[in-house]
Amino acid sequence: RDQLSQIINQLINKNLLQKTDGQYPVLQLTDSASTFLKQKLSIKLAEPSFTSQASGDGSQQGNLPYNAELYEELRILRKRLADQMGVPPYVIFSNNTLQEMATYYPQNPQSLLKITGVGDQKLEQFGEIFLAMISEYAKIKNLTDMTESKYKPHPTAEINLQRSTYDQTKELLIKGLPLSDIARQRGLKISTIIEHLEKITEIDKNMSIDHLKPDAIRLEKIKTAFEATGMIWALSPVRELLGEDYSYDELRLARIFIRKSAS
């Protein structure tokens, strides 16, 4: 089950699978997956490591040279959270995800997002508490963030696949369409389009998106909230400060403009 979970997490991170919202989420193919299948493309995945959830020990069971001591602390933290939520531990994070944390020592939200199995939703739910533990451990042991060493160039087929879906969104952005129209034409959620927007503006810093800029007063309030949380870019603390009147989509969109103005 853990090996299958590792494969699923990799496919989600590569934008080939997505989880539905709600209390009982299921897996669905993305638009990128449809293109992938129609064009009969190939993809490389990291070989899943064998980690027995029954034993749950911190020894090296896969290919990662992870820190067994930190892994055990993370595993205990995961179990405590799982018990509080009444869910199995792997719903929080898989063993493989914890092993990567204990290998690369992510110490900020951007680094944590580079760990397999960590997306925006998991970052919002559990990022702060796991980062606090890793950062404290790294400080005591004098360890540095190693997430930059994790990434290797993607296979050509995957790059073309990602460019395909981002380029489709970018073409509609250039036309000056609002997010709702782009989402409708692409058959995607607005939140997905905003994720595309984050990637597009990260690659093309001169991309004009001023027509999507939030209301100036609300944007300033969001910026102030980010500053109050230490500009770590996590959304949940900002939402707690501002309240439910501010959606995660609005916060994520505003974050793009705040980052652009800060760069």
Side-chain angles (χ1 to χ4, degrees):
R1 181 165 57 185
D2 186 62
Q3 288 177 305
L4 181 58
S5 177
Q6 292 173 44
I7 293 171
I8 289 172
N9 285 333
Q10 289 187 67
L11 292 174
I12 290 174
N13 289 337
K14 293 178 185 296
N15 197 33
L16 294 174
L17 288 179
Q18 61 185 1
K19 287 183 180 180
T20 60
D21 297 326
Q23 186 177 0
Y24 303 104
V26 297
L27 292 173
Q28 290 181 340
L29 293 174
T30 63
D31 287 350
S32 297
S34 298
T35 303
F36 182 90
L37 293 171
K38 287 177 182 177
Q39 297 182 11
K40 297 183 179 179
L41 301 175
S42 62
I43 193 171
K44 286 185 179 180
L45 299 177
E47 182 178 355
S49 57
F50 177 76
T51 52
S52 171
Q53 290 195 1
S55 62
D57 62 39
S59 61
Q60 283 187 282
Q61 299 168 336
N63 297 323
L64 284 176
Y66 62 88
N67 184 313
E69 183 180 37
L70 176 57
Y71 171 79
E72 181 64 16
E73 291 189 19
L74 294 171
R75 194 182 66 81
I76 293 171
L77 172 61
R78 179 185 64 176
K79 180 64 164 59
R80 176 162 57 82
L81 292 174
D83 288 345
Q84 291 173 357
M85 297 173 63
V87 298
Y90 65 82
V91 171
I92 309 286
F93 288 124
S94 70
N95 285 350
N96 186 62
T97 298
L98 297 188
Q99 288 174 11
E100 284 200 12
M101 291 179 187
T103 300
Y104 300 108
Y105 312 115
Q107 295 171 49
N108 59 65
Q110 290 75 27
S111 294
L112 190 59
L113 282 171
K114 295 176 182 178
I115 300 298
T116 302
V118 181
D120 283 336
Q121 185 175 353
K122 289 291 182 74
L123 178 66
E124 291 165 9
Q125 286 181 288
F126 311 115
E128 185 176 354
I129 190 169
F130 277 86
L131 282 172
M133 174 171 284
I134 296 169
S135 297
E136 180 64 23
Y137 184 89
K139 182 178 180 181
I140 294 172
K141 301 291 185 178
N142 195 27
L143 300 170
T144 59
D145 190 321
M146 299 290 291
T147 50
E148 289 299 326
S149 67
K150 177 180 186 292
Y151 273 87
K152 297 178 181 179
H154 291 297
T156 302
E158 182 190 346
I159 292 174
N160 291 337
L161 175 67
Q162 295 292 342
R163 282 178 179 166
S164 174
T165 188
Y166 294 145
D167 281 349
Q168 290 178 56
T169 297
K170 186 174 181 179
E171 289 172 2
L172 298 175
L173 285 168
I174 292 173
K175 293 179 180 180
L177 296 180
L179 291 176
S180 56
D181 287 356
I182 296 174
R184 184 169 59 254
Q185 290 195 34
R186 293 293 325 274
L188 300 171
K189 297 178 181 178
I190 288 180
S191 59
T192 302
I193 300 301
I194 294 175
E195 289 175 9
H196 289 185
L197 184 59
E198 288 178 310
K199 296 290 186 182
I200 292 168
T201 54
E202 182 180 334
I203 295 170
D204 184 358
K205 299 187 183 302
N206 295 321
M207 176 76 184
S208 177
I209 56 171
D210 287 345
H211 65 288
L212 302 177
K213 198 167 187 176
D215 173 77
I217 295 176
R218 293 177 70 85
L219 180 60
E220 186 60 31
K221 288 183 178 179
I222 295 171
K223 180 181 178 182
T224 301
F226 270 114
E227 291 172 347
T229 61
M231 297 292 279
I232 62 173
W233 303 120
L235 299 178
S236 289
V238 173
R239 182 90 183 289
E240 290 179 7
L241 284 175
L242 296 176
E244 296 183 359
D245 185 43
Y246 291 77
S247 68
Y248 279 112
D249 284 346
E250 183 180 8
L251 297 180
R252 186 173 282 111
L253 179 62
R255 183 173 62 182
I256 296 173
F257 286 92
I258 297 169
R259 281 173 166 171
K260 282 174 68 70
S261 64
S263 61

